[in-house]
Amino acid sequence: MRGGFARPVISLQHALALLLLVALSGCSLFSTQAPAPIVEAPVGVSETEPIASEPEMASAPEIASEPAETPEAKPAPKKPRPAPIRRRRPAPPPPVPASAPTPPPPAPLVQTHTIDRGSFRTLLDSEVQKTDGKVVGRAVDMVAGPGGKPQEVVVNLQGFMGVGDRKANYPWSAVHINTQAKTPAITLALTPAQLQIPDRPKSGAPQPGTSEASPTRLPMLDANVERANGAKVGRVVDVLIGGSADPLAVVLDVSGTLEKRRTIAADWSALHFVTKNNALEAQLEMSDQQIDASPAYANDQPVRTVSPAAAPAAPAVPARGDQ
Protein backbone atom coordinates (compact mmCIF):
# COMPACT_ATOMS: atom_id res chain seq x y z
CA MET A 1 0.00 0.00 0.00
CA ARG A 2 1.36 3.30 -1.18
CA GLY A 3 1.20 6.53 0.63
CA GLY A 4 -1.36 9.38 -0.26
CA PHE A 5 -5.12 9.96 -0.27
CA ALA A 6 -7.39 6.99 -0.75
CA ARG A 7 -9.27 7.09 -4.14
CA PRO A 8 -13.02 6.58 -4.10
CA VAL A 9 -14.03 3.52 -5.87
CA ILE A 10 -17.00 4.11 -8.40
CA SER A 11 -18.08 1.17 -10.29
CA LEU A 12 -19.08 1.27 -13.95
CA GLN A 13 -22.63 0.32 -13.18
CA HIS A 14 -23.09 3.27 -10.89
CA ALA A 15 -21.75 5.67 -13.57
CA LEU A 16 -24.12 4.38 -16.29
CA ALA A 17 -27.11 4.65 -13.97
CA LEU A 18 -26.26 8.22 -13.12
CA LEU A 19 -25.92 9.20 -16.83
CA LEU A 20 -29.25 7.59 -17.64
CA LEU A 21 -31.00 9.59 -14.90
CA VAL A 22 -29.46 12.81 -16.16
CA ALA A 23 -30.52 12.02 -19.75
CA LEU A 24 -34.11 11.23 -18.73
CA SER A 25 -34.42 14.33 -16.61
CA GLY A 26 -33.14 16.51 -19.51
CA CYS A 27 -35.64 15.08 -22.03
CA SER A 28 -38.59 15.81 -19.75
CA LEU A 29 -37.74 19.51 -19.77
CA PHE A 30 -38.33 19.92 -23.53
CA SER A 31 -41.21 17.61 -24.32
CA THR A 32 -43.69 15.68 -22.28
CA GLN A 33 -45.20 13.84 -25.25
CA ALA A 34 -43.57 10.79 -26.62
CA PRO A 35 -43.14 10.71 -30.37
CA ALA A 36 -45.88 8.84 -32.23
CA PRO A 37 -44.75 5.52 -33.59
CA ILE A 38 -44.34 5.34 -37.34
CA VAL A 39 -46.79 2.85 -38.75
CA GLU A 40 -45.79 1.43 -42.03
CA ALA A 41 -48.52 0.77 -44.57
CA PRO A 42 -49.02 -2.93 -45.35
CA VAL A 43 -47.74 -4.10 -48.65
CA GLY A 44 -50.36 -4.43 -51.35
CA VAL A 45 -52.72 -1.59 -50.16
CA SER A 46 -53.01 1.11 -52.87
CA GLU A 47 -54.77 3.87 -50.85
CA THR A 48 -53.96 4.79 -47.37
CA GLU A 49 -56.31 6.54 -44.98
CA PRO A 50 -54.97 9.69 -43.39
CA ILE A 51 -54.25 9.30 -39.77
CA ALA A 52 -55.74 12.09 -37.70
CA SER A 53 -53.05 13.80 -35.81
CA GLU A 54 -53.61 14.48 -32.22
CA PRO A 55 -54.29 18.14 -31.30
CA GLU A 56 -51.23 20.03 -30.38
CA MET A 57 -51.20 21.52 -26.97
CA ALA A 58 -51.23 25.36 -26.84
CA SER A 59 -47.89 26.71 -26.05
CA ALA A 60 -47.56 28.96 -23.08
CA PRO A 61 -47.80 32.72 -23.93
CA GLU A 62 -44.52 34.42 -24.14
CA ILE A 63 -43.89 36.90 -21.41
CA ALA A 64 -42.99 40.31 -22.79
CA SER A 65 -39.62 41.30 -21.70
CA GLU A 66 -39.57 44.40 -19.57
CA PRO A 67 -37.65 47.28 -21.04
CA ALA A 68 -34.37 47.94 -19.52
CA GLU A 69 -34.49 50.66 -17.02
CA THR A 70 -32.59 53.74 -18.02
CA PRO A 71 -31.50 56.42 -15.69
CA GLU A 72 -34.11 59.21 -15.62
CA ALA A 73 -32.99 62.44 -17.39
CA LYS A 74 -33.74 65.66 -15.62
CA PRO A 75 -36.48 67.59 -17.56
CA ALA A 76 -35.52 71.03 -18.79
CA PRO A 77 -37.19 73.82 -16.88
CA LYS A 78 -40.36 75.01 -18.70
CA LYS A 79 -40.63 78.65 -19.63
CA PRO A 80 -43.73 80.32 -18.21
CA ARG A 81 -46.32 80.88 -20.92
CA PRO A 82 -48.40 84.05 -20.88
CA ALA A 83 -51.99 83.53 -20.06
CA PRO A 84 -54.09 83.41 -23.24
CA ILE A 85 -56.12 86.53 -23.89
CA ARG A 86 -59.71 85.65 -24.40
CA ARG A 87 -61.49 88.14 -26.55
CA ARG A 88 -65.15 88.47 -26.06
CA ARG A 89 -67.17 87.79 -29.09
CA PRO A 90 -69.30 90.73 -30.13
CA ALA A 91 -72.90 90.33 -29.29
CA PRO A 92 -74.94 89.33 -32.29
CA PRO A 93 -76.97 92.19 -33.76
CA PRO A 94 -80.61 92.21 -32.81
CA PRO A 95 -82.87 90.66 -35.36
CA VAL A 96 -84.13 93.08 -37.95
CA PRO A 97 -87.84 93.54 -37.47
CA ALA A 98 -89.99 92.84 -40.42
CA SER A 99 -90.37 96.04 -42.38
CA ALA A 100 -93.83 97.40 -42.19
CA PRO A 101 -95.43 98.37 -45.48
CA THR A 102 -94.60 101.92 -46.47
CA PRO A 103 -97.59 104.12 -45.83
CA PRO A 104 -98.83 106.01 -48.86
CA PRO A 105 -97.67 109.62 -49.07
CA PRO A 106 -100.12 112.15 -47.71
CA ALA A 107 -102.41 113.73 -50.22
CA PRO A 108 -101.21 117.17 -51.40
CA LEU A 109 -102.98 120.13 -49.89
CA VAL A 110 -103.02 122.14 -53.11
CA GLN A 111 -102.88 121.48 -56.82
CA THR A 112 -100.37 123.45 -58.85
CA HIS A 113 -100.22 124.35 -62.52
CA THR A 114 -97.18 125.92 -64.17
CA ILE A 115 -97.73 128.54 -66.86
CA ASP A 116 -95.05 129.86 -69.18
CA ARG A 117 -94.14 133.50 -68.79
CA GLY A 118 -94.26 133.96 -72.52
CA SER A 119 -97.94 133.01 -72.61
CA PHE A 120 -99.43 135.81 -70.44
CA ARG A 121 -99.07 139.43 -69.40
CA THR A 122 -99.77 141.17 -66.11
CA LEU A 123 -102.64 143.64 -66.03
CA LEU A 124 -101.56 146.26 -63.52
CA ASP A 125 -99.60 149.17 -65.03
CA SER A 126 -99.44 147.55 -68.48
CA GLU A 127 -99.20 149.94 -71.41
CA VAL A 128 -102.38 150.39 -73.49
CA GLN A 129 -102.15 151.43 -77.13
CA LYS A 130 -104.49 152.09 -80.00
CA THR A 131 -104.48 150.05 -83.19
CA ASP A 132 -102.15 152.63 -84.79
CA GLY A 133 -99.54 151.93 -82.09
CA LYS A 134 -100.01 155.14 -80.13
CA VAL A 135 -99.85 154.56 -76.37
CA VAL A 136 -102.81 156.21 -74.65
CA GLY A 137 -102.28 155.15 -71.05
CA ARG A 138 -101.82 152.29 -68.63
CA ALA A 139 -104.22 149.65 -67.30
CA VAL A 140 -105.10 150.05 -63.64
CA ASP A 141 -108.00 147.64 -63.13
CA MET A 142 -110.31 145.02 -64.58
CA VAL A 143 -114.03 144.78 -63.83
CA ALA A 144 -115.47 141.26 -63.56
CA GLY A 145 -119.14 140.39 -63.86
CA PRO A 146 -121.24 137.49 -62.54
CA GLY A 147 -119.45 134.16 -62.97
CA GLY A 148 -116.10 135.95 -63.16
CA LYS A 149 -116.38 136.97 -66.82
CA PRO A 150 -114.36 140.13 -67.57
CA GLN A 151 -116.51 143.07 -68.57
CA GLU A 152 -114.32 146.16 -68.68
CA VAL A 153 -110.74 147.36 -68.52
CA VAL A 154 -109.98 150.56 -66.60
CA VAL A 155 -107.27 152.70 -68.26
CA ASN A 156 -105.55 155.70 -66.79
CA LEU A 157 -105.40 158.05 -69.79
CA GLN A 158 -102.35 160.25 -69.98
CA GLY A 159 -102.66 164.02 -70.02
CA PHE A 160 -100.13 166.52 -71.17
CA MET A 161 -96.99 166.16 -69.07
CA GLY A 162 -98.96 164.41 -66.34
CA VAL A 163 -101.63 167.10 -66.21
CA GLY A 164 -105.20 166.11 -66.93
CA ASP A 165 -104.88 162.34 -66.31
CA ARG A 166 -108.26 160.64 -66.02
CA LYS A 167 -109.62 157.12 -65.85
CA ALA A 168 -111.81 155.59 -68.48
CA ASN A 169 -113.61 152.24 -68.80
CA TYR A 170 -113.52 150.35 -72.08
CA PRO A 171 -115.37 147.12 -72.98
CA TRP A 172 -113.30 143.99 -72.53
CA SER A 173 -114.39 142.75 -75.94
CA ALA A 174 -112.08 145.40 -77.49
CA VAL A 175 -109.02 144.16 -75.53
CA HIS A 176 -106.25 142.29 -77.36
CA ILE A 177 -103.26 140.92 -75.44
CA ASN A 178 -99.74 141.03 -76.83
CA THR A 179 -97.65 138.26 -75.22
CA GLN A 180 -94.32 139.46 -76.65
CA ALA A 181 -92.10 141.17 -74.11
CA LYS A 182 -91.10 144.84 -74.43
CA THR A 183 -94.29 145.69 -76.29
CA PRO A 184 -97.50 147.31 -75.02
CA ALA A 185 -99.46 144.55 -73.36
CA ILE A 186 -102.94 145.74 -74.34
CA THR A 187 -104.21 146.97 -77.66
CA LEU A 188 -107.68 148.56 -77.80
CA ALA A 189 -109.48 147.86 -81.05
CA LEU A 190 -111.93 150.81 -80.80
CA THR A 191 -113.28 153.35 -83.17
CA PRO A 192 -112.27 157.01 -82.68
CA ALA A 193 -115.76 157.70 -81.36
CA GLN A 194 -115.41 154.99 -78.71
CA LEU A 195 -112.11 156.45 -77.56
CA GLN A 196 -113.82 159.74 -76.74
CA ILE A 197 -114.92 159.95 -73.12
CA PRO A 198 -118.35 161.54 -72.71
CA ASP A 199 -118.48 164.43 -70.32
CA ARG A 200 -121.61 163.14 -68.67
CA PRO A 201 -122.37 159.42 -68.51
CA LYS A 202 -125.84 158.25 -69.35
CA SER A 203 -128.35 157.66 -66.61
CA GLY A 204 -127.81 154.33 -64.87
CA ALA A 205 -124.40 153.80 -66.48
CA PRO A 206 -121.42 153.40 -64.16
CA GLN A 207 -119.19 156.35 -63.61
CA PRO A 208 -115.98 156.13 -65.68
CA GLY A 209 -113.19 154.67 -63.59
CA THR A 210 -115.43 153.87 -60.63
CA SER A 211 -114.01 151.34 -58.16
CA GLU A 212 -117.16 150.55 -56.25
CA ALA A 213 -118.63 147.05 -56.42
CA SER A 214 -122.25 146.42 -57.35
CA PRO A 215 -124.37 143.27 -57.61
CA THR A 216 -123.16 142.85 -61.22
CA ARG A 217 -119.69 144.45 -61.17
CA LEU A 218 -116.53 143.76 -59.18
CA PRO A 219 -113.34 145.78 -59.70
CA MET A 220 -110.62 143.20 -59.10
CA LEU A 221 -107.61 145.29 -58.04
CA ASP A 222 -107.49 145.73 -54.24
CA ALA A 223 -110.56 143.51 -53.82
CA ASN A 224 -110.58 141.19 -50.82
CA VAL A 225 -110.96 137.45 -51.48
CA GLU A 226 -112.67 135.63 -48.64
CA ARG A 227 -113.86 132.18 -47.69
CA ALA A 228 -117.54 131.36 -47.54
CA ASN A 229 -117.49 131.86 -43.76
CA GLY A 230 -116.17 135.42 -44.18
CA ALA A 231 -112.52 134.75 -43.22
CA LYS A 232 -110.09 136.71 -45.36
CA VAL A 233 -107.77 134.82 -47.69
CA GLY A 234 -105.92 137.69 -49.35
CA ARG A 235 -106.03 140.91 -51.34
CA VAL A 236 -105.85 141.04 -55.15
CA VAL A 237 -102.72 142.89 -56.29
CA ASP A 238 -102.63 141.83 -59.94
CA VAL A 239 -104.32 139.73 -62.61
CA LEU A 240 -102.53 137.47 -65.12
CA ILE A 241 -104.08 137.70 -68.63
CA GLY A 242 -103.55 135.01 -71.27
CA GLY A 243 -102.95 135.54 -74.98
CA SER A 244 -106.64 135.13 -75.77
CA ALA A 245 -107.57 137.88 -73.29
CA ASP A 246 -108.85 135.41 -70.70
CA PRO A 247 -107.77 135.80 -67.05
CA LEU A 248 -105.56 132.93 -65.88
CA ALA A 249 -104.92 133.76 -62.21
CA VAL A 250 -105.06 136.46 -59.57
CA VAL A 251 -102.03 137.42 -57.51
CA LEU A 252 -103.02 137.53 -53.84
CA ASP A 253 -101.20 139.22 -51.00
CA VAL A 254 -101.59 136.65 -48.20
CA SER A 255 -99.08 138.10 -45.74
CA GLY A 256 -100.20 138.86 -42.22
CA THR A 257 -99.89 142.12 -40.37
CA LEU A 258 -96.47 141.42 -38.86
CA GLU A 259 -95.18 139.10 -41.58
CA LYS A 260 -93.01 139.85 -44.57
CA ARG A 261 -95.04 140.37 -47.71
CA ARG A 262 -95.88 137.08 -49.40
CA THR A 263 -97.90 136.62 -52.55
CA ILE A 264 -99.31 133.56 -54.31
CA ALA A 265 -101.01 133.06 -57.67
CA ALA A 266 -104.48 131.54 -57.29
CA ASP A 267 -106.00 129.90 -60.33
CA TRP A 268 -108.86 131.92 -61.77
CA SER A 269 -111.02 128.81 -62.04
CA ALA A 270 -110.75 128.32 -58.26
CA LEU A 271 -112.58 131.60 -57.59
CA HIS A 272 -116.30 131.67 -56.91
CA PHE A 273 -118.21 134.88 -57.63
CA VAL A 274 -121.27 135.33 -55.43
CA THR A 275 -123.50 138.24 -54.50
CA LYS A 276 -123.24 139.05 -50.83
CA ASN A 277 -124.49 142.16 -49.00
CA ASN A 278 -125.82 143.55 -52.30
CA ALA A 279 -122.35 143.40 -53.87
CA LEU A 280 -120.47 140.95 -56.05
CA GLU A 281 -117.45 139.38 -54.34
CA ALA A 282 -114.88 136.67 -55.07
CA GLN A 283 -114.47 133.72 -52.75
CA LEU A 284 -111.70 131.12 -52.49
CA GLU A 285 -111.95 128.07 -50.26
CA MET A 286 -108.33 127.71 -49.11
CA SER A 287 -107.37 127.02 -45.51
CA ASP A 288 -104.37 128.55 -43.76
CA GLN A 289 -102.48 125.25 -44.17
CA GLN A 290 -103.17 125.28 -47.91
CA ILE A 291 -102.04 128.87 -48.21
CA ASP A 292 -98.80 128.04 -46.38
CA ALA A 293 -98.25 125.07 -48.71
CA SER A 294 -98.69 127.23 -51.83
CA PRO A 295 -95.53 128.25 -53.73
CA ALA A 296 -94.70 131.94 -53.60
CA TYR A 297 -95.21 134.15 -56.62
CA ALA A 298 -92.19 136.05 -57.97
CA ASN A 299 -91.72 138.11 -61.11
CA ASP A 300 -88.45 136.42 -62.05
CA GLN A 301 -89.48 132.81 -61.46
CA PRO A 302 -91.81 130.34 -63.18
CA VAL A 303 -95.41 130.92 -62.18
CA ARG A 304 -97.21 128.07 -60.46
CA THR A 305 -100.87 128.76 -59.91
CA VAL A 306 -102.60 126.96 -57.05
CA SER A 307 -106.06 125.66 -56.36
CA PRO A 308 -107.46 123.66 -53.43
CA ALA A 309 -106.84 119.94 -53.74
CA ALA A 310 -109.94 117.85 -54.14
CA ALA A 311 -110.91 116.05 -50.96
CA PRO A 312 -110.55 112.25 -51.18
CA ALA A 313 -113.81 110.51 -51.79
CA ALA A 314 -115.23 108.81 -48.73
CA PRO A 315 -115.59 105.02 -49.00
CA ALA A 316 -119.09 103.96 -49.95
CA VAL A 317 -121.07 102.58 -47.06
CA PRO A 318 -123.36 99.72 -48.04
CA ALA A 319 -126.99 100.44 -47.34
CA ARG A 320 -128.44 98.49 -44.48
CA GLY A 321 -131.34 96.29 -45.41
CA ASP A 322 -134.66 96.68 -43.70
CA GLN A 323 -134.97 94.30 -40.84
Side-chain angles (χ1 to χ4, degrees):
M1 187 173 175
R2 296 180 182 179
F5 294 97
R7 293 182 181 180
V9 179
I10 299 175
S11 62
L12 181 58
Q13 293 179 356
H14 290 87
L16 290 176
L18 181 60
L19 290 176
L20 181 60
L21 290 175
V22 172
L24 291 177
S25 62
C27 292
S28 62
L29 293 176
F30 294 99
S31 177
T32 58
Q33 183 177 359
I38 298 174
V39 180
E40 294 181 359
V43 180
V45 180
S46 60
E47 294 181 0
T48 59
E49 294 180 2
I51 300 172
S53 62
E54 295 182 0
E56 297 181 357
M57 296 182 65
S59 60
E62 297 181 357
I63 300 174
S65 60
E66 296 182 358
E69 295 182 0
T70 57
E72 296 181 359
K74 293 183 180 180
K78 295 182 179 180
K79 295 181 180 180
R81 294 182 180 181
I85 301 175
R86 296 182 180 180
R87 296 181 180 179
R88 294 184 179 180
R89 294 183 180 179
V96 180
S99 58
T102 304
L109 296 177
V110 295
Q111 295 178 348
T112 60
H113 175 67
T114 304
I115 55 177
D116 186 11
R117 283 205 168 267
S119 63
F120 71 92
R121 299 296 291 271
T122 58
L123 174 70
L124 182 62
D125 207 30
S126 294
E127 287 185 329
V128 180
Q129 66 180 0
K130 298 189 296 184
T131 54
D132 59 1
K134 181 180 179 180
V135 176
V136 297
R138 292 180 179 274
V140 293
D141 206 347
M142 183 191 76
V143 179
K149 185 177 181 180
Q151 289 184 345
E152 297 173 344
V153 59
V154 181
V155 181
N156 185 36
L157 299 176
Q158 297 175 350
F160 180 73
M161 297 183 67
V163 179
D165 291 356
R166 62 192 186 277
K167 294 179 181 179
N169 292 25
Y170 297 98
W172 191 263
S173 58
V175 172
H176 295 271
I177 302 298
N178 307 317
T179 58
Q180 295 180 357
K182 299 181 180 180
T183 60
I186 299 176
T187 299
L188 293 176
L190 298 173
T191 63
Q194 290 175 322
L195 287 174
Q196 297 296 327
I197 302 175
D199 294 336
R200 294 182 179 179
K202 295 180 180 180
S203 176
Q207 294 277 339
T210 181
S211 59
E212 295 180 358
S214 69
T216 58
R217 303 175 70 254
L218 174 62
M220 293 301 300
L221 271 297
D222 287 333
N224 289 327
V225 177
E226 300 177 348
R227 304 186 185 102
N229 59 4
K232 183 179 177 181
V233 176
R235 179 176 61 89
V236 179
V237 295
D238 209 343
V239 180
L240 308 183
I241 311 298
S244 58
D246 52 335
L248 301 179
V250 290
V251 181
L252 298 177
D253 184 357
V254 295
S255 54
T257 305
L258 301 177
E259 296 179 0
K260 185 179 179 180
R261 186 180 182 185
R262 182 171 179 267
T263 56
I264 64 173
D267 199 286
W268 185 268
S269 62
L271 298 176
H272 304 284
F273 292 85
V274 297
T275 302
K276 186 177 180 181
N277 298 328
N278 201 27
L280 188 66
E281 68 176 31
Q283 294 181 354
L284 178 62
E285 292 301 326
M286 288 186 66
S287 64
D288 293 340
Q289 291 79 9
Q290 290 174 325
I291 294 174
D292 294 340
S294 301
Y297 170 82
N299 293 326
D300 56 348
Q301 295 179 1
V303 177
R304 290 188 293 170
T305 63
V306 298
S307 59
V317 179
R320 297 179 61 182
D322 296 335
Q323 296 181 357

